[in-house]
Amino acid sequence: MALYNIRYETVNNYNSPVNEAYLNFLIIPQETEDQHCFNLSIESNHKAEAQFSETLYGAKAALFRLKGPFILFELTMTVQVEKQLWNFPSFKNISIADERAILEDHIFKVKNKDFIIPTTLTEINANQLPPETFILPSETVFQYVQRINTFLHYFLSYEANVTTPITTLPEIIQLRKGVCQDYSHLFIGIMRHNGIPVRYVSGYLNQGKQYIGAAAMHAWVEVFVPSIGWLGIDPTNNIFVNEHYIKVAHGCDYIDCTTVKGVYLSDSGGTTSYSVQITEQQSQ
Amino acid sequence: MLSRVADNLFWMGRYLERSEHLARFLNVQYFSSIELPYPQMREQALLSVLNMAGTELENDKPTEEEILFSVGLDGDNPASILSAVYSGRENARSVRDSLSTEVWEAFNKYYLFVSDYPVSVYKTKGLDNFTTGSINHCAIVKGKIHQTLLRNETFHFLQIGKHIERAIQIIRIMLSKMADINEVNKLKVGSTLELQQWNIILDCLEAKDMCRKHYHSLPNKHNTIDFLLFTPNFPFSVAYNLGFVYKHLQLINKAKDEKPGSLEFKVGKVINDFRYREMEDFKDDIPSFLQETLDKIYLICNEIHNEYFKY
Amino acid sequence: MIMEASVLKLPESELFTDYYFKENTFDEVFKKNSPANAYYNRLLSLISSYSTNEFKILNESTKKSFISRGVTFATYSDNPKGNERIFPFDLFPRIIPQSEWRVLEKGLKQRNRAINLFIDDLYHDSKILRDKIVPVDLILSCSNYNRYMKDFKPTGGVYNHISGTDIIKHNDGKYYVLEDNVRCPSGVSYVLANRDAMKKTIPSVFSNFNISPVSDYPEALQEMMHSVKSDKVDNPNCVVLTPGAYNSAYYEHSFLAQSMGIELVEGRDMFTDNDFVYMHTVYGAKRVDVIYRRIDDDFIDPLVFRPDSALGVPGLMSAYRKGNVTILNAPGTGIADDKAVYAYMPEIIKYYLDEEPILNNVPTYRCDVKQEMDYVLEHIAELVVKPVDQSGGYGIFIGNQATQAQIEEQKNIIKAHPRGYIAQPTMSLSVHSTFIEDENKFEPRHIDLRTYTLLSPDKEFVLKGGLSRVALKKGNLIVNSSQGGGSKDTWVMEE
């Protein structure tokens, strides 16, 4: 069992007074089989209370409806998360042919539609993809997923400020640089191109482990491996997702998991900053 | 009622009233200036129309046609009659479902009359036809408002807009004409012409006959100003219109309690203060008093906006 | 011309001089080598009693009445203040005999009920896909699928509350459904405005003919809106949501609100709080329970769909999914008016209702099916090619009117994006005598029929008649108002 203290802070300064705004935060760790939250606290400098709702895929969102005028919005979330230790996944014994049949099954496709259909951010033509990114007839999905994970780790080099969260795949492939969102989007694009359901995940990463991307909110993916089920993979760090990953939300792509979505009735522009702290408590 | 709808109704009432005053002022000024003996005074009369409408032309020495076009049918001049009717009709269009079909169609016909009016005819020989036509259309729209609307918020906000705008226009016309009179006095041509100017003010506000009846004498400076400002029972006096603004605000306010600080309280205070003023208090500087009253009316508009039109 | 005219028995009136018969086309009024359709007789004798000049005057005064009543749509392309145009109106009404209408009405109820079940199924168990009646790939690739509707059942189980089904009469004399519009079908206000104009222009006809009224539509619409309110409210606050006074269909939005006596709201008039929807009124916030929205799915909630949309209400989808407000039509109904789905409509009706479809479907080729695309590419000159996700007559390619270069271009377009297109044989829309202003006489022009069906949980209503749209340009087959079409009053009449 791992136990974390998580603190998320954001400060939004506006150039001129905002009269009305809706701010929707996706920052609260999701309740899942292997992760539980305690002592959740959300505080802000505004009298409005957070209104909680669930996203389409089960994440917990906090919505603030802010009545102005205001020029500053500050928010702090703290929470403790208990996370089960990760074990290497257990496999069902399925032949490659059976695996492919599962993926091709029309009922399976209907069920996983959202994670098979490319979105604007994960769309790519076959001729734009490097040839080694296609699944080989002799490969299991698990082998393929691992191969692509490693491939991406070397194909892209981690560099901040060259892309934005909404940079498209052809641009990323051309740049061969990016951050966790770009690694994840490209991974998703490749998988969906081969008919394998895959979803984008946002969350926190233990800051005590020298992982790439731990300083801010992190992004990784969950891919459907027929012999296992949904499997967490972090292409940025080229590893399986383990107990150091605290999931907040998953969705089709970045847009579904945007940390803060704001709608302003008077848009004056401004500056936004945020910081996260994830510290592991020594468990017994 | 939606706040936005209330806002649109208020402005529909204002633009409707504004267009009427612009048309009448233009008509009276133009036709009264024709018989003026001094060319400077004719020029002044036309410039006064621009001034009253709040229009500035790039050209310092505009021709008569330029002035007439600018104040009447120039769609690019926000202070023209066409623009006022267009804006009023756009506001009406936005709240079309709150109005009766009759009110909407009357307003739409007014707009079509103005927007389809041939510019060349207007500039050369159609001025009287255009302005009296506009005034008549206004009367029809107002008649339809009175005849076909429920006495609910729709009606009240329309009336508030109308009365506010009329109070404003009365003062603007007075200010504008007093500037004219100043110019006349500079020419030192005798008091007959000054008296004539006071008569014109009354004509601009369809007030001459009633003013004579009220005072049982011919109009002069004192009774003209007194009549247009304070007569409580004359529809084109400031006091009358402010009184109706207050009355309709009370009808809208369901709570009916006028706590200090409430909108009705504030408006009531402005109006009562105004009602008990006397010419004696400000006779040395009438324009300043008029300007001060105008500013108070604008404050009332702000208060109404904050109370009802925020969305 | 004279040869052709001689085969028709035309009224003795200069208005019908040189009226001609269009080969391979069904004329709604006249028949080759036999008398005109009997149900038009009285109307024909009435129209022939006018001189050309009298008829012209009537026509002009009707146009004027539309303008002064503001029954217009605006275009803003060439003038920032907007050019207001009237939707051209033809004074010769189209008659649908009661016997034909009864079948149409039954068929419309059947078809739209089936569409409702289809949409519900797609957002829940997808049985129709599991049973392989409709191919999965069709739905997977449908751009109008709305994942926020998955596993959500709207109040009363109704999705396509208002359906606009477009029907034509082919040269075989049979009605066919040309397309289903189950997002925000428009035009119904013109049906009522046309009837009004007709009454004012030629009042005598209404006392002599037994014509089904159309004025019951607002009441039916309101009743339907009440029928899908949440159980938690007794007296629902229903509103019409418009993009605003600058929308080209604004007249219709305000007409609908006014005729039902409910508020016409814009997005900025509303807000959400704790998953309830409110509107700003002069007395503070008031709850909104049922929203008839006339804006597209993408724009209704900037927190969920297009974040740049200023037309919608942030938080609306969340309130909707909590069941605190009803939106009609439901988001995501567009999957059913995808034109590739249209191809399966007969199967869809059979599947859900276990009934034979009453209305005919036009045979449809899906370009994303290899053999069908091959057929389309080979026979493109005889086909009509349509984009699957557009309405309003946009992007339609008519093979027999295209040049060789246009044909090649269209083939490339299809090949680049097969799922984006379907093709159908060129249907011959029927023609109807229509007054042509430039000619001062009647000429045959192509028409179709936009019908309006309302669905409540336990009731269907079909507006009697609908909007007969006329392609005013000679030979033109596209009747949409955005493409320069006009309309006719449409009478459902006892023979």
Side-chain angles (χ1 to χ4, degrees):
Chain A
M1 197 76 78
L3 193 61
Y4 296 96
N5 286 322
I6 297 175
R7 184 182 181 86
Y8 173 97
E9 282 182 310
T10 181
V11 179
N12 299 272
N13 280 295
Y14 301 98
N15 295 338
S16 58
V18 176
N19 286 324
E20 195 177 349
Y22 295 81
L23 292 180
N24 195 40
F25 289 89
L26 271 178
I27 50 174
I28 304 165
Q30 193 173 347
E31 286 289 328
T32 65
E33 264 178 33
D34 65 350
Q35 104 184 5
H36 297 289
C37 302
F38 305 92
N39 300 329
L40 171 68
S41 137
I42 296 183
E43 280 176 11
S44 82
N45 67 330
H46 200 283
K47 63 176 188 296
E49 301 253 326
Q51 302 173 7
F52 296 103
S53 65
E54 206 172 274
T55 67
L56 276 189
Y57 308 113
K60 191 174 187 177
L63 174 70
F64 286 87
R65 174 169 178 261
L66 305 171
K67 293 287 279 178
F70 62 94
I71 52 164
L72 173 69
F73 180 71
E74 290 175 312
L75 174 136
T76 305
M77 183 221 49
T78 55
V79 68
Q80 286 179 301
V81 176
E82 191 183 82
K83 183 101 192 181
Q84 278 172 31
L85 296 183
W86 183 77
N87 291 312
F88 198 82
S90 52
F91 288 84
K92 274 182 277 180
N93 204 359
I94 307 178
S95 71
I96 291 181
D98 286 348
E99 260 197 348
R100 301 296 200 274
I102 290 176
L103 295 178
E104 279 303 312
D105 179 59
H106 69 291
I107 294 170
F108 175 84
K109 281 188 184 173
V110 172
K111 217 176 128 196
N112 293 291
K113 175 181 187 322
D114 292 359
F115 306 116
I116 301 175
I117 306 300
T119 60
T120 320
L121 293 182
T122 59
E123 202 165 25
I124 184 124
N125 286 333
N127 57 13
Q128 293 170 295
L129 279 170
E132 58 270 51
T133 58
F134 294 91
I135 191 164
L136 303 172
S138 59
E139 236 173 354
T140 65
V141 173
F142 183 69
Q143 286 165 339
Y144 175 59
V145 162
Q146 276 185 302
R147 181 164 69 78
I148 295 301
N149 201 23
T150 309
F151 167 79
L152 280 184
H153 187 70
Y154 294 106
F155 182 75
L156 296 178
S157 53
Y158 192 92
E159 191 175 330
N161 304 324
V162 289
T163 56
T164 71
I166 54 164
T167 303
T168 61
L169 294 193
E171 292 173 284
I172 294 169
I173 288 175
Q174 200 171 21
L175 284 166
R176 296 191 61 173
K177 287 173 190 163
V179 293
C180 54
Q181 286 112 0
D182 307 305
Y183 281 82
S184 301
H185 278 152
L186 188 48
F187 188 94
I188 292 170
I190 292 168
M191 288 297 139
R192 290 190 186 158
H193 213 278
N194 290 277
I196 300 168
V198 56
R199 52 205 196 192
Y200 183 99
V201 185
S202 68
Y204 302 98
L205 190 47
N206 185 352
Q207 290 173 329
K209 293 286 168 189
Q210 315 292 313
Y211 288 129
I212 302 169
M217 293 288 286
H218 191 54
W220 59 92
V221 302
E222 287 172 355
V223 57
F224 188 85
V225 179
S227 56
I228 300 171
W230 291 100
L231 176 68
I233 293 270
D234 180 2
T236 313
N237 287 292
N238 188 20
I239 55 169
F240 293 114
V241 164
N242 54 35
E243 68 269 18
H244 301 294
Y245 288 75
I246 299 139
K247 176 174 172 177
V248 169
H250 73 248
C252 297
D253 61 20
Y254 165 81
I255 308 244
D256 279 351
C257 303
T258 314
T259 313
V260 195
K261 226 177 221 181
V263 175
Y264 296 92
L265 271 73
S266 50
D267 196 357
S268 62
T271 54
T272 298
S273 62
Y274 82 96
S275 65
V276 294
Q277 262 180 14
I278 302 101
T279 47
E280 189 176 356
Q281 283 182 10
Q282 288 315 311
S283 55
Q284 300 76 15
Chain B
M1 167 175 292
L2 291 172
S3 301
R4 175 180 54 78
V5 169
D7 194 12
N8 288 137
L9 288 166
F10 174 77
W11 280 100
M12 172 184 158
R14 284 195 65 171
Y15 281 119
L16 177 64
E17 189 68 20
R18 182 176 301 177
S19 68
E20 180 184 331
H21 286 272
L22 289 174
R24 196 179 311 102
F25 192 69
L26 177 57
N27 181 300
V28 175
Q29 279 287 84
Y30 182 81
F31 291 105
S32 64
S33 74
I34 289 174
E35 45 183 19
L36 286 174
Y38 302 95
Q40 303 98 302
M41 288 178 70
R42 272 199 77 174
E43 272 169 35
Q44 177 59 29
L46 283 171
L47 289 173
S48 166
V49 172
L50 284 180
N51 176 32
M52 182 285 200
T55 299
E56 277 177 36
L57 288 180
E58 282 172 26
N59 188 348
D60 321 333
K61 290 246 176 265
T63 63
E64 180 177 311
E65 279 195 11
E66 279 171 346
I67 294 179
L68 293 182
F69 175 68
S70 165
V71 180
L73 287 176
D74 183 358
D76 293 332
N77 173 13
S80 69
I81 295 172
L82 174 61
S83 292
V85 179
Y86 172 77
S87 303
R89 187 236 190 199
E90 281 305 287
N91 277 288
R93 215 161 69 83
S94 302
V95 297
R96 184 167 167 168
D97 58 302
S98 312
L99 302 170
S100 63
T101 308
E102 289 76 13
V103 170
W104 157 251
E105 286 185 12
F107 210 131
N108 197 39
K109 281 181 187 156
Y110 180 21
Y111 168 70
L112 292 170
F113 168 77
V114 173
S115 64
D116 292 347
Y117 206 90
V119 173
S120 55
V121 175
Y122 165 76
K123 280 185 188 167
T124 51
K125 50 186 183 271
L127 187 73
D128 185 56
N129 179 275
F130 173 75
T131 49
T132 51
S134 296
I135 294 164
N136 287 341
H137 271 287
C138 265
I140 295 170
V141 179
K142 288 180 185 174
K144 293 292 180 192
I145 288 172
H146 270 271
Q147 276 177 38
T148 66
L149 291 186
L150 276 175
R151 277 4 184 205
N152 62 7
E153 294 91 350
T154 304
F155 181 76
H156 298 315
F157 280 112
L158 268 173
Q159 293 307 102
I160 290 171
K162 175 179 94 175
H163 289 296
I164 285 263
E165 183 69 22
R166 195 184 289 164
I168 292 172
Q169 292 300 335
I170 294 167
I171 297 174
R172 287 187 71 102
I173 286 174
M174 289 172 79
L175 277 168
S176 183
K177 285 310 292 176
M178 287 176 75
D180 287 358
I181 290 168
N182 245 341
E183 295 297 316
V184 170
N185 288 343
K186 276 187 204 155
L187 291 171
K188 306 229 182 288
V189 288
S191 60
T192 330
L193 279 176
E194 188 189 329
L195 266 184
Q196 195 183 351
Q197 291 295 318
W198 290 109
N199 269 299
I200 291 171
I201 299 191
L202 289 170
D203 280 336
C204 291
L205 294 162
E206 295 182 337
K208 204 190 308 173
D209 299 334
M210 292 303 121
C211 184
R212 280 195 206 118
K213 280 203 170 21
H214 190 69
Y215 295 102
H216 304 293
S217 71
L218 291 177
N220 56 32
K221 177 177 175 181
H222 184 279
N223 62 24
T224 299
I225 292 173
D226 188 63
F227 189 68
L228 292 176
L229 290 181
F230 300 121
T231 323
N233 54 351
F234 179 63
F236 278 57
S237 83
V238 175
Y240 178 93
N241 285 290
L242 291 182
F244 269 92
V245 170
Y246 180 62
K247 185 189 136 197
H248 287 288
L249 281 173
Q250 277 184 314
L251 288 167
I252 290 167
N253 178 5
K254 282 180 174 163
K256 293 244 167 61
D257 54 340
E258 283 177 29
K259 295 190 195 89
S262 72
L263 170 65
E264 291 73 25
F265 185 85
K266 287 180 195 162
V267 174
K269 221 170 134 182
V270 170
I271 289 163
N272 278 322
D273 184 44
F274 178 80
R275 254 186 220 147
Y276 295 108
R277 295 299 289 267
E278 283 178 279
M279 274 282 280
E280 277 306 305
D281 306 344
F282 56 85
K283 67 173 192 305
D284 298 332
D285 191 357
I286 297 168
S288 295
F289 174 73
L290 292 177
Q291 191 57 51
E292 192 186 298
T293 309
L294 205 50
D295 292 343
K296 281 185 187 152
I297 297 174
Y298 290 138
L299 275 180
I300 292 178
C301 291
N302 258 341
E303 295 285 343
I304 295 174
H305 178 91
N306 289 337
E307 178 79 19
Y308 290 119
F309 303 156
K310 282 201 155 172
Y311 55 93
Chain C
M1 208 57 93
I2 290 159
M3 280 288 291
E4 284 170 344
S6 67
V7 299
L8 295 173
K9 298 223 164 45
L10 295 168
E12 287 184 15
S13 156
E14 49 185 356
L15 285 164
F16 288 95
T17 319
D18 294 340
Y19 189 88
Y20 53 91
F21 185 76
K22 245 186 123 174
E23 286 303 331
N24 292 321
T25 314
F26 185 88
D27 191 306
E28 297 278 350
V29 185
F30 300 107
K31 284 187 194 157
K32 205 172 176 180
N33 299 323
S34 48
N37 274 321
Y39 48 88
Y40 272 102
N41 280 347
R42 281 192 297 163
L43 186 59
L44 276 175
S45 62
L46 181 90
I47 289 176
S48 331
S49 70
Y50 291 104
S51 71
T52 303
N53 212 28
E54 283 168 338
F55 200 82
K56 262 177 79 174
I57 292 168
L58 279 183
N59 189 50
E60 283 304 311
S61 77
T62 314
K63 262 171 41 185
K64 234 178 136 182
S65 88
F66 273 90
I67 290 175
S68 65
R69 286 189 295 151
V71 185
T72 53
F73 64 95
T75 51
Y76 292 92
S77 48
D78 44 356
N79 177 359
K81 287 196 171 172
N83 282 333
E84 285 179 34
R85 304 214 181 123
I86 58 168
F87 184 24
F89 172 65
D90 185 68
L91 277 171
F92 191 165
R94 183 234 193 117
I95 296 176
I96 300 176
Q98 191 64 255
S99 56
E100 286 181 15
W101 177 255
R102 270 192 285 271
V103 179
L104 281 178
E105 183 169 317
K106 225 173 135 196
L108 286 166
K109 288 179 176 177
Q110 177 198 51
R111 188 176 180 100
N112 288 306
R113 189 53 81 187
I115 288 175
N116 196 61
L117 293 167
F118 174 61
I119 299 170
D120 186 69
D121 185 25
L122 287 181
Y123 287 120
H124 290 87
D125 298 336
S126 305
K127 290 199 194 83
I128 198 162
L129 305 182
R130 290 167 196 267
D131 291 343
K132 300 195 175 180
I133 308 294
V134 173
V136 171
D137 291 340
L138 198 65
I139 304 302
L140 289 184
S141 53
C142 177
S143 60
N144 288 315
Y145 179 89
N146 189 326
R147 58 201 168 104
Y148 288 85
M149 292 302 290
K150 185 128 179 42
D151 297 325
F152 172 73
K153 207 176 201 60
T155 318
V158 185
Y159 293 82
N160 51 320
H161 307 82
I162 302 147
S163 309
T165 315
D166 292 344
I167 293 177
I168 56 155
K169 202 177 224 182
H170 189 41
N171 57 17
D172 56 7
K174 288 184 187 151
Y175 290 104
Y176 287 81
V177 172
L178 202 57
E179 59 182 64
D180 298 287
N181 296 279
V182 292
R183 280 175 278 181
C184 285
S186 63
V188 73
S189 58
Y190 294 106
V191 176
L192 279 78
N194 287 353
R195 179 61 55 86
D196 242 34
M198 206 64 216
K199 276 187 202 162
K200 279 179 188 153
T201 319
I202 318 181
S204 60
V205 299
F206 286 86
S207 43
N208 294 321
F209 294 76
N210 189 1
I211 303 162
S212 302
V214 292
S215 53
D216 52 352
Y217 184 79
E219 201 187 317
L221 181 58
Q222 187 167 38
E223 194 186 316
M224 182 273 283
M225 286 178 82
H226 279 250
S227 77
V228 291
K229 72 174 174 60
S230 147
D231 290 338
K232 289 171 256 177
V233 288
D234 291 333
N235 196 8
N237 180 19
C238 304
V239 299
V240 175
L241 172 58
T242 173
Y246 295 99
N247 185 272
S248 63
Y250 179 75
Y251 161 72
E252 174 150 311
H253 308 159
S254 70
F255 168 84
L256 290 168
Q258 185 179 34
S259 60
M260 289 187 282
I262 64 178
E263 293 287 356
L264 179 67
V265 302
E266 295 177 20
R268 57 197 170 129
D269 293 322
M270 295 197 283
F271 65 94
T272 59
D273 199 13
N274 270 312
D275 291 326
F276 283 94
V277 182
Y278 300 90
M279 59 189 199
H280 293 284
T281 80
V282 294
Y283 301 125
K286 184 174 179 196
R287 264 243 341 244
V288 175
D289 305 300
V290 182
I291 301 175
Y292 176 13
R293 45 90 183 220
R294 294 296 296 259
I295 58 181
D296 292 342
D297 282 12
D298 276 356
F299 295 92
I300 59 176
D301 183 351
L303 275 178
V304 175
F305 304 115
R306 287 180 59 151
D308 54 337
S309 164
L311 303 176
V313 188
L316 182 58
M317 273 312 277
S318 180
Y320 179 58
R321 287 182 60 94
K322 285 267 162 66
N324 292 334
V325 66
T326 307
I327 300 174
L328 46 113
N329 287 353
T333 49
I335 39 170
D337 59 22
D338 186 298
K339 292 191 179 62
V341 171
Y342 166 93
Y344 293 90
M345 213 44 86
E347 286 81 6
I348 289 171
I349 293 170
K350 278 181 224 155
Y351 183 78
Y352 292 107
L353 301 175
D354 198 19
E355 293 170 9
E356 283 303 311
I358 298 167
L359 300 176
N360 304 305
N361 229 42
V362 181
T364 302
Y365 305 99
R366 286 175 51 203
C367 296
D368 59 336
V369 177
K370 179 78 177 71
Q371 310 90 292
E372 299 191 16
M373 175 159 94
D374 291 346
Y375 178 88
V376 170
L377 294 177
E378 200 175 315
H379 296 88
I380 193 160
E382 313 143 27
L383 298 171
V384 174
V385 182
K386 298 176 178 177
V388 294
D389 54 358
Q390 299 253 335
S391 57
Y394 289 102
I396 293 182
F397 168 88
I398 299 174
N400 64 16
Q401 295 178 1
T403 63
Q404 197 52 43
Q406 286 168 325
I407 286 181
E408 288 311 315
E409 190 192 341
Q410 187 64 32
K411 281 184 177 174
N412 288 332
I413 294 174
I414 296 173
K415 280 188 258 179
H417 185 30
R419 172 63 177 90
Y421 297 88
I422 55 111
Q424 294 171 335
T426 315
M427 297 301 282
S428 159
L429 274 63
S430 61
V431 293
H432 195 293
S433 325
T434 301
F435 186 69
I436 302 302
E437 288 177 9
D438 294 343
E439 307 285 337
N440 284 323
K441 60 186 171 103
F442 284 102
E443 288 190 4
R445 285 291 182 273
H446 290 289
I447 58 168
D448 82 342
L449 179 67
R450 159 70 58 94
T451 61
Y452 300 89
T453 308
L454 304 179
L455 286 191
S456 301
D458 50 10
K459 196 174 162 187
E460 302 94 4
F461 170 89
V462 183
L463 176 64
K464 295 227 170 10
L467 190 65
S468 288
R469 300 183 293 185
V470 195
L472 289 174
K473 237 168 79 188
K474 204 169 183 167
N476 200 342
L477 286 171
I478 300 176
V479 295
N480 303 71
S481 61
S482 45
Q483 312 270 322
S487 72
K488 283 173 173 292
D489 191 15
T490 306
W491 295 355
V492 172
M493 205 175 82
E494 290 294 347
E495 284 144 86

